[in-house]
Amino acid sequence: MRDSSETALRLPAHIRATKPYQPGKPIDALAREIGVRPEAIVKLASNENPLGMSAAARAVLTDAGTELARYPDNDCHALLAALSRRFDVPAECLVPGNGSECVLGLAATAFLEPGRNAVYAQYSFQAFVNAVQRTGAAHKVVPAHNYGCDLEAMLAAIDENTALVYLANPGNPTGSFVSGASLERFLTAVPSHIPVLLDEAYSEYLPVDDCYDSLAWVRGFPNLIVTRTFSKAYGLAGLRVGYGVAQPPLAALLNRIRPAFVVTALAERAAVAALNDEAFLVRSCAENHKGLAQLYAGFDSLGLHYLRSRANFVLVQVGDAAMVNASLLRQGVIVRPVGVYGLPDWLRISVGTGAENLRCLAALQQAMQA
Ligand SMILES: Cc1ncc(COP(=O)(O)O)c(C=O)c1O
């Protein structure tokens, strides 16, 4: 048999150095490991919507019929038309993706190569790191300020080789937030030949007072790409639908290099239905707000330090996070250790239903006493 080891394949050094994405542990995997039914497991590890998805989206899925024997619409016409109507942006500005992670990756593919660099903040989403690494470009990781982006320092880090800036707002895993006014100043200061990808995976959860109109900025900044997803507040994480918004030339470039049929037919139909069910979105955000307050109160009573979050998860400092996580898993509760982000004392806990949050807090109390 041929030697297919990485050495024999003569991989480029930057590909050899890639690390796999570490997702939250699947419910079924833990159920098998600890010998319980999957229904007994609480998963608060991947910032999914604890309410599931809109009934309208679910109805579309059960009614998909035989159309799945055909390829999807490569242009995602129905989805782009729905997004265009909903957000008042021309369809030529939209880039559909297999999750927004796909669009983050397209930006890296388009702009990065060895000799160039990408600027992003410490504690940034792992997918930024991986997307940059796959291109062979250098990482310019800017130290965080209070666990959030230091925009001044990010500006200062930009140099003649910078070819992409990634910024998530709110950020994952810290839940940090920079105001719309600061972001707009930042965008104005970044040289217009350097693309800035503003990742808004959690923007639906922002309290009204913190909302800003990034899609209006797209009209003014030819280098801005805003990405959003159906995986979080819309509850369609398993279907993988996201999108980018940019001025038409930039959107056309990203569309040119995206894989064919990037959104499945089923996912497209469900995303359109979800987009039109505003009431579900409002309810999801209200529940998230309540759940965050519930988790904060629980952490307060356990005497645990945590970071106030603008998203659907909270970072809580538990000391020996590996040990606490192991105890939580034994109790059937999956959360996310964040050692890979350089935060070995912390756990990231997604907001669940009221009952799930209670189970998690009770398990945490037991784990902390052990
Ligand atoms: C900051 C951030 N951006 C993007 C994503 C990717 O979401 P998706 O690819 O499911 O759209 C996530 C998922 O956890 C995230 O936390």
Side-chain angles (χ1 to χ4, degrees):
M1 202 161 73
R2 280 216 179 133
D3 182 358
S4 63
S5 74
E6 294 197 351
T7 321
L9 288 170
R10 298 205 296 167
L11 295 176
H14 66 273
I15 295 296
R16 215 174 315 125
T18 50
K19 299 200 178 82
Y21 179 71
Q22 290 183 11
K25 196 177 187 70
I27 289 177
D28 285 350
L30 181 62
R32 280 194 304 274
E33 275 171 37
I34 65 173
V36 299
R37 285 174 300 108
E39 303 78 59
I41 303 288
V42 169
K43 183 185 177 216
L44 300 175
S46 301
N47 310 337
E48 296 137 339
N49 189 330
L51 303 183
M53 68 179 75
S54 134
R58 200 167 333 107
V60 164
L61 293 182
T62 49
D63 181 35
T66 54
E67 81 180 52
L68 295 181
R70 302 205 178 273
Y71 281 101
D73 171 9
N74 190 42
D75 297 330
C76 295
H77 177 81
L79 176 61
L80 301 199
L83 288 167
S84 173
R85 263 194 313 277
R86 172 80 179 71
F87 297 115
D88 193 22
V89 286
E92 310 82 78
C93 293
L94 296 167
V95 183
N98 189 254
S100 59
E101 201 251 352
C102 166
V103 186
L104 309 179
L106 292 178
T109 305
F111 304 113
L112 299 178
E113 64 179 347
R116 297 185 176 189
N117 69 61
V119 168
Y120 58 88
Q122 183 185 17
Y123 311 131
S124 279
F125 182 39
Q126 227 184 316
F128 296 175
V129 183
N130 293 355
V132 175
Q133 184 62 34
R134 287 195 297 268
T135 67
H139 304 252
K140 278 197 119 177
V141 185
V142 178
H145 175 66
N146 285 338
Y147 296 95
C149 294
D150 180 341
L151 293 181
E152 287 298 315
M154 287 179 73
L155 264 184
I158 291 174
D159 64 24
E160 69 281 6
N161 294 320
T162 301
L164 184 60
V165 176
Y166 278 125
L167 202 160
N169 202 40
N172 171 20
T174 64
S176 66
F177 175 73
V178 288
S179 71
S182 313
L183 263 181
E184 196 170 6
R185 276 196 300 277
F186 177 76
L187 290 170
T188 307
V190 173
S192 63
H193 68 278
I194 300 178
V196 177
L197 189 145
L198 175 61
D199 174 339
E200 294 190 341
Y202 301 97
S203 63
E204 291 84 4
Y205 293 111
L206 284 178
V208 182
D209 290 349
D210 290 333
C211 286
Y212 53 86
D213 189 357
S214 57
L215 300 188
W217 296 341
V218 166
R219 276 177 234 128
F221 296 104
N223 54 333
L224 176 62
I225 306 162
V226 174
T227 56
R228 294 189 181 163
T229 183
F230 284 88
S231 299
K232 309 298 176 182
Y234 290 99
L236 300 182
L239 284 171
R240 314 299 304 125
V241 197
Y243 59 96
V245 189
Q247 288 192 5
L250 193 43
L253 167 72
L254 298 177
N255 275 317
R256 198 164 87 215
I257 61 171
R258 75 172 152 81
F261 308 118
V262 74
V263 176
T264 66
L266 209 51
E268 181 178 17
R269 287 179 57 143
V272 171
L275 197 62
N276 292 330
D277 190 348
E278 187 114 22
F280 178 79
L281 191 67
V282 170
R283 187 156 66 88
S284 297
C285 294
E287 285 297 311
N288 185 63
H289 190 70
K290 272 202 289 189
L292 272 178
Q294 184 186 12
L295 288 175
Y296 293 162
F299 299 150
D300 283 337
S301 67
L302 293 173
L304 293 174
H305 174 52
Y306 56 91
L307 303 183
R308 286 194 165 258
S309 167
R310 301 293 214 293
N312 66 343
F313 54 84
V314 198
L315 205 55
V316 58
Q317 194 166 28
V318 295
D320 186 343
M323 204 181 72
V324 173
N325 185 51
S327 166
L328 291 179
L329 289 173
R330 282 194 300 274
Q331 297 178 70
V333 175
I334 310 174
V335 300
R336 189 73 77 93
V338 282
V340 66
Y341 288 95
L343 295 161
D345 299 346
W346 300 74
L347 291 174
R348 193 194 67 194
I349 300 182
S350 305
V351 177
T353 60
E356 289 172 331
N357 297 335
L358 278 181
R359 265 255 338 252
C360 178
L361 288 166
L364 196 54
Q365 180 169 22
Q366 185 156 333
M368 301 299 298
Q369 282 163 355

